[in-house]
Amino acid sequence: MQKKLLLLAFLFLIGNIYGQQIEGVVRNASSGEPVPNVAIKILDASGGTVTSENGYFLLEVQRLPARIQMSKLGFERNEVTIQDSGEQQVFYLIPQPESLSEVVLRSTIIPNELRETPAAVSIISEQDLQRFDETNLVQAISTAPGVYVHQGALNTNKINIRGIGARSQYSSNRIKAYFEEIPISTAEGETTLDDIDQSMVERIEIIKGPTSSVYGAGLGGVLNLYAAEADEPGTTVSEKATFGSFGLFKNSIIAKHSDESTNFVLAQNHLESESFRDNSDYERDSFSLHGKIDTKNGSYLSLLAQYTSLMAYIPSSLNRETLENDPTSAAFTWDAAKGYESYDKGLFGVSYRHLFSGDFYNTTSIYMNFRDAYEPRPFDILKEEQVATGARTKFNLKSTFLTLESEWSLGGEYYRELYDTSTFENLYEEFPDRGSVPGNSLSNNSQDRSYYNIFAQWNLSLSESFSLEAGINFNSTRYELTDLFNRDMVDQSGEFEFESIWSPRLGLVYEIAEGKSIYGSISHGFSTPTVAETLTPEGLINTELEPETGVNYELGFKGNWLNNRLYSEVAVYSIQISNLLIAERVAEDQYIGRNAGETNHNGIEFLLNYNFNLLSGIELSPYVNGSLNFYEFDEFVDDGINYSGNDLPGVPKRSITAGFDLASSAGLNFYAVFQHEGEMPLNDANSEFNDSYNLLHLKSSYDFALFDLFEAELFAGVNNLFDTQYAASIIPNAVGFGGTAPRYFYPGNPRNYFGGVKLKYLF
C-alpha cells in the first residue's frame, strides 16, 4: 500500500512538471483590448494554439519553465518565459508602425485612437528606438516628420518642431516635454532630453504645433515620454554593454519585476565617449526607477525617480573653413579655457489614478526636480542652482449630451521653480594650460518663477463617423527677481508678470471610409521668454519682452490600406507667429533676446509605413516620411534692415527619412535608416547656407537563448556609412568678431562603428 501511494505521488509530481496547462489572455499594449487570432508557439518544442475572439488561450506544455512566442501580423513579436501554471496570466503585444491608427494616445488628456485625433501626432515606438546605437534619444526623434534636431554633441541638442525653436542658440525651447506626465522642461520651457537614458523609455508621442490648450506654454509642441515596463511575469536582470568608435562605451544594468499587482523597472546606466573632436570628452551616470502598483477596481499608483551626474566638455562651433579642413578641432577659446558643463540633476514624481466608476476617474501627479550646475565658458563662469516643485490633476467623465456620446476632461497644473544664477570672471588667459580659473563675481541673481494652467476639453461624437474636439487653457506666468549683486549699484529686484493668456483649440474628425479619416483643427499657442533671453550679458533683466504667440491651422488625412498592412498620413499646416523672440549677438558667444516681427510657418508632412511577410518567418517593414517646409519672415526689420520675405534660418527646406526593418522568427533583425536634409539658411539675410546632406545608418542584431533561463543578444552597426562630411548643428546668425569668420557650424560625426552584447537572466 505504501509503495502504491509513493508511486501515485511520483506520478502526480511528474504530471505537474511535464503535463502543465498555461492559461492566458493576450491584449493590445496600446489600447488594452483583447487580440484575437494570435499564434502561440512553444519554442524548442512542438505544440501551439491560437487565441480566441476575446484573446483567450489554453496551451499544453510538457514541462516548466517553458518559452513561448506570440505573433500576429501588425504586432511586434513577443517571447516570454512561463515559470508556473498558476492563475490566468495577461500578455501584451505592441502594435507595429503600420497599425498606428489603432494606437491609443496617452498624451491627449482624453485618450483616443490616433486615427480619431484631430492633430498631427508622431509616435516613436520601441522598435523605432532599436534602430540606432541607443546613446541618445534624439537620434530616433529626428526621424519624425516635421521635427528637426541639431545634434552638436551628446550634450548639445536642439529640437525644433515645424520650425519653432529653430532660432535657439544651444538648447531646445518653445516645446515642452513630460516623462510619465511629470514635466522635464523648466518653468521657462527649456527642455533637455540628454539625461533620459533610452533603456527607460518604451514610447514617445510628439504632438506637433501649438498645444497650449492642454499643456500651456508650448508653441512648437510637446514630447511625452512613457517609461519601459516589465513585459512578462516574473523577475529579470539584464546587462547590456556597447562599445564603439571614439572611445564609446555604454553599460546598462536593468532589473524588472512584474506580477498581478506590481510592475517595476530599476536601471543603472553609464555612458562615456571621447568623441572625434578636441575638448569633447563626455561622461554620464544615471539611476532610474519606475514602478506601478495596482490598488483595486482599476486604480493604480505609479512613481518615477531619476538621478543624473554629467561631466561634458564643450568644443563649440567652427567657421566654414575649419569645418571643411579641420573638423576635429575645437573652437580656439573653448579649447584654451577647457570649457565644459557639469551638473547633478534629479527628478521625482508620484502619480495616482483613481477610478470612481467605469465612466469617471481622476489622475493626480506631484513632482519635484533639482539641478546643480557649473559651466566654465571663455567669457565667464556660470553657476546655476534650480529647485522646482509642482502638481497636475485632471478629471475625466464620460456622459451623454442630447443623446450623443461625449467625454469631458477638466484639470489644472501648477509649477514653481527657484533659479539662482551667478557669473564670475574666467581668468584662463592669465593661467595658461590650466583651463578655466574663477575670478571676481560679475552677477548674482535669484529668480522665483511660477505658472499655472487651468484646462478643459470636450470630445463629442456627432455621429458614428463625425466627432468634435474643443479645448481651452488659461495660463498665468510670473517671476520675482532678487538682485544680489551690489557692485554695479543697479538693483533690478522686483516682481514681474506676463499677461494672462487664453488658448483655445477646435478640431473635427470625419471617417470617410473604414479605417480612413480626414481632420481639421485650429489651435492657439504661446511661449514665454527664457531666463537666458531676459538677461543681458551684464546680468541685467529685460522686462520689456513679451511671449511669442501663434495660431495653427491644419488639415490632414490618416488611413489604412491593403488590409491594414499600409498606414499613411498627410498633414498640411500654416502657423502664424507674432512677437517673434530673436537672439541678437552682442559679443563672442553672448546674446540678448528681444521681440521683433512675425513669421509664417507653412508646410506639408507625410508618412507611409508598410508591413508584409517577405518569406515564411521573415517580416519586412519599409517606411518613408518627410516634410516640405516654407518658413519665412512675414514682417521683420532688424537694425534698420528689412528681412521680410526671407526664409527662416536654422531649418532645412526639406527632410526625408526612409528605411526598413527586417525581423525573422530565428531572432535575426536588420535595420537600415536613410536621412536626407535639404539646404538650410544660416542667417536672416539668407546670404549663407548649410549644404544639403545624406546619411545612411545600418544595424543588425541576433537574439537567442543560451539556456532555459538565459537569453542573449549580439548587435553591431555603423553610423554615417558613406562617411559624409556635414554640419549636424548650426548657430543661426553667428557673427565674427575681430576680423574672424562667423562660427556657424558643429561638425557631424564621421563614419563610426558600434557593437555589443546583452545578457538576460529570468528568475
Side-chain angles (χ1 to χ4, degrees), residues 561-634:
W561 310 84
L562 304 178
N563 245 356
N564 290 338
R565 285 195 247 173
L566 175 66
Y567 176 71
S568 63
E569 285 186 7
V570 177
V572 180
Y573 62 89
S574 179
I575 309 174
Q576 279 76 51
I577 307 296
S578 301
N579 290 322
L580 175 69
L581 277 163
I582 69 169
E584 181 180 351
R585 190 165 188 164
V586 295
E588 188 173 4
D589 297 312
Q590 292 181 287
Y591 304 83
I592 60 172
R594 63 186 184 86
N595 294 107
E598 301 176 355
T599 56
N600 291 329
H601 298 244
N602 304 316
I604 302 171
E605 298 167 359
F606 62 91
L607 177 148
L608 290 170
N609 287 327
Y610 185 54
N611 181 71
F612 64 97
N613 290 325
L614 184 65
L615 297 169
S616 177
I618 300 178
E619 292 182 0
L620 184 64
S621 303
Y623 58 88
V624 61
N625 66 63
S627 61
L628 301 175
N629 308 318
F630 310 95
Y631 305 151
E632 62 180 19
F633 294 109
D634 183 17

Side-chain angles (χ1 to χ4, degrees), residues 667-732:
L668 183 64
N669 304 287
F670 185 79
Y671 309 93
V673 182
F674 169 80
Q675 291 181 278
H676 167 79
E677 303 298 346
E679 188 180 60
M680 180 192 309
L682 295 174
N683 53 29
D684 296 337
N686 293 177
S687 60
E688 295 196 62
F689 290 83
N690 187 37
D691 296 335
S692 64
Y693 60 88
N694 302 310
L695 302 174
L696 179 62
H697 314 295
L698 303 177
K699 180 183 176 181
S700 62
S701 65
Y702 177 52
D703 303 309
F704 58 96
L706 283 175
F707 309 105
D708 283 344
L709 300 177
F710 267 106
E711 296 178 11
E713 176 189 0
L714 299 176
F715 59 92
V718 55
N719 296 315
N720 191 4
L721 176 65
F722 297 119
D723 201 21
T724 300
Q725 187 178 54
Y726 68 105
S729 179
I730 65 107
I731 306 298

Side-chain angles (χ1 to χ4, degrees), residues 279 311-314 332-342 374-382 424-440:
N279 200 60
M311 179 66 175
Y313 284 84
I314 302 173
F332 175 79
T333 54
W334 284 85
D335 195 18
K338 303 301 178 188
Y340 66 88
E341 69 169 330
S342 67
Y374 186 76
E375 184 176 350
R377 309 173 293 189
F379 46 88
D380 66 18
I381 295 176
L382 173 67
F424 303 86
E425 293 178 326
N426 193 335
L427 306 180
Y428 74 96
E429 292 179 306
E430 300 177 20
F431 299 88
D433 302 322
R434 284 186 54 184
S436 295
V437 177
N440 293 327

Side-chain angles (χ1 to χ4, degrees), residues 226-263:
Y226 295 98
E229 297 184 354
D231 53 7
E232 58 184 301
T235 302
T236 65
V237 175
S238 65
E239 181 171 9
K240 189 173 188 177
T242 303
F243 304 87
S245 304
F246 314 122
L248 173 66
F249 172 64
K250 181 183 178 185
N251 190 65
S252 299
I253 301 174
I254 303 174
K256 297 183 178 182
H257 173 78
S258 176
D259 56 36
E260 294 179 358
S261 60
T262 61
N263 194 303

Side-chain angles (χ1 to χ4, degrees), residues 22 25-26 37-43 47-51 55-59 68-71 78 91 93:
I22 301 171
V25 173
V26 180
N37 302 317
V38 177
I40 311 292
K41 176 184 176 182
I42 305 173
L43 297 177
T49 186
V50 176
T51 59
Y56 175 83
F57 72 90
L58 189 65
L59 181 66
I68 67 171
Q69 180 187 89
M70 295 171 282
S71 62
N78 188 19
F91 306 92
L93 289 183

Side-chain angles (χ1 to χ4, degrees), residues 1 35 47 181 238 416 480 524 723:
M1 185 65 180
V35 183
E181 298 198 15
S238 65
R416 182 183 181 187
E480 178 181 346
H524 177 272
D723 201 21

